[in-house]
Amino acid sequence: MAYQAGGQRPAPRPVPDTCEIQAYLQDYGALLESQSCPSLVVDHHWNVVMANSAFETLFHGVRPHPTAMPGENFLRFVLFHPDAGEVLGEHEPGWCLPMLAQLRTALETHGHDHDLQAVRREIAQDPIMEAAYRQGLPHWIRAVGEAATRLDGAVRLLHHPDPRRGRTECRIVEEIPQPLRELGYRRLTMVLRDPRRPAVPVRRPRRPRDAASHLTVVPSTED
């Protein structure tokens, strides 16, 4: 059984070995594949348990990466893949910071989780990412409010490879049917919006030329 619709993974994630659960996931994978919008199921590590062909199409053009492929771990893709911003529009405020907030929440719940701690250590090894986590994230939340850290219902910008869509918006819809909840899974769907409707403009502060490596949300100086 392939738990990732639309593509095979090298080593499928294990699931509880019961006929009932396996049959449910098999049918849920068929449901996922029937959807025209990119959709994926993740565990609390953000490992991708299954994803549909529309999700595969959206990220088809990204280059190989040893630890941050979108069909393997979506959190790692958003934070660490160099091509993430080519697909995820307004990458820093729209995707990176909300996912850092998701990581922070997950660490509060699963503080000793090996995989989550590995992501945290990788962030700590990058001075810019560490500044984003320690300084930028609290600063951004104070500026935009806690609601911006939630994914369900959020409208985000995408650069879709299909030229009929191109630069478009999606609304993220989160669903957790009870069987998925019991497995620690949740489903996220990027509901693509009408490309003929102009995307909501996002105003971003202009960076000085000598601050190209400094995240816009991280205060340059301490108050």
Side-chain angles (χ1 to χ4, degrees):
M1 169 178 170
Y3 292 112
Q4 186 175 1
Q8 296 287 336
R9 67 168 65 252
R13 309 283 178 191
V15 298
D17 189 19
T18 69
C19 292
E20 183 178 356
I21 290 297
Q22 289 189 9
Y24 178 85
L25 291 177
Q26 182 77 55
D27 292 340
Y28 201 83
L31 171 65
L32 214 66
E33 186 61 18
S34 72
Q35 306 301 304
S36 61
C37 293
S39 191
L40 68 162
V41 173
V42 297
D43 63 16
H44 76 269
H45 303 112
W46 286 89
N47 292 322
V48 178
V49 178
M50 63 179 78
N52 64 5
S53 294
F55 180 88
E56 295 289 330
T57 297
L58 179 62
F59 296 101
H60 177 73
V62 303
R63 293 170 290 177
H65 189 283
T67 63
M69 292 304 289
E72 293 290 330
N73 186 288
F74 194 67
L75 172 67
R76 283 185 166 276
F77 171 74
V78 173
L79 298 183
F80 302 131
H81 199 295
D83 293 347
E86 299 298 315
V87 181
L88 308 175
E90 297 291 344
H91 176 245
E92 182 188 317
W95 297 90
C96 188
L97 286 162
M99 291 300 282
L100 284 175
Q102 292 284 315
L103 173 63
R104 185 189 65 174
T105 299
L107 284 169
E108 290 171 354
T109 306
H110 308 282
H112 299 292
D113 185 275
H114 174 77
D115 290 348
L116 295 175
Q117 287 293 343
V119 174
R120 181 66 187 92
R121 286 193 299 271
E122 194 165 340
I123 289 172
Q125 292 168 4
D126 184 322
I128 295 177
M129 289 293 292
E130 181 69 2
Y133 190 82
R134 287 187 175 273
Q135 299 171 259
L137 184 59
H139 174 74
W140 174 72
I141 292 174
R142 286 195 301 269
V144 301
E146 285 281 351
T149 68
R150 295 193 289 269
L151 295 180
D152 187 30
V155 175
R156 299 287 186 251
L157 185 65
L158 291 175
H159 301 294
H160 201 284
D162 187 337
R164 293 171 296 180
R165 290 197 174 275
R167 186 177 186 270
T168 190
E169 290 180 333
C170 72
R171 184 180 297 279
I172 300 174
V173 176
E174 180 177 323
E175 299 172 295
I176 315 179
Q178 187 61 32
L180 293 189
R181 186 186 303 276
E182 292 172 358
L183 294 170
Y185 298 164
R186 54 178 165 161
R187 174 186 176 184
L188 298 168
T189 301
M190 303 174 191
V191 181
L192 302 177
R193 308 181 87 189
D194 187 346
R196 294 170 296 180
R197 179 171 51 184
V200 176
V202 179
R203 301 188 62 175
R204 304 185 64 179
R206 187 182 300 275
R207 297 188 189 188
R209 290 183 180 272
D210 60 354
S213 63
H214 188 80
L215 290 170
T216 59
V217 297
V218 180
S220 297
T221 59
E222 296 286 351
D223 293 336

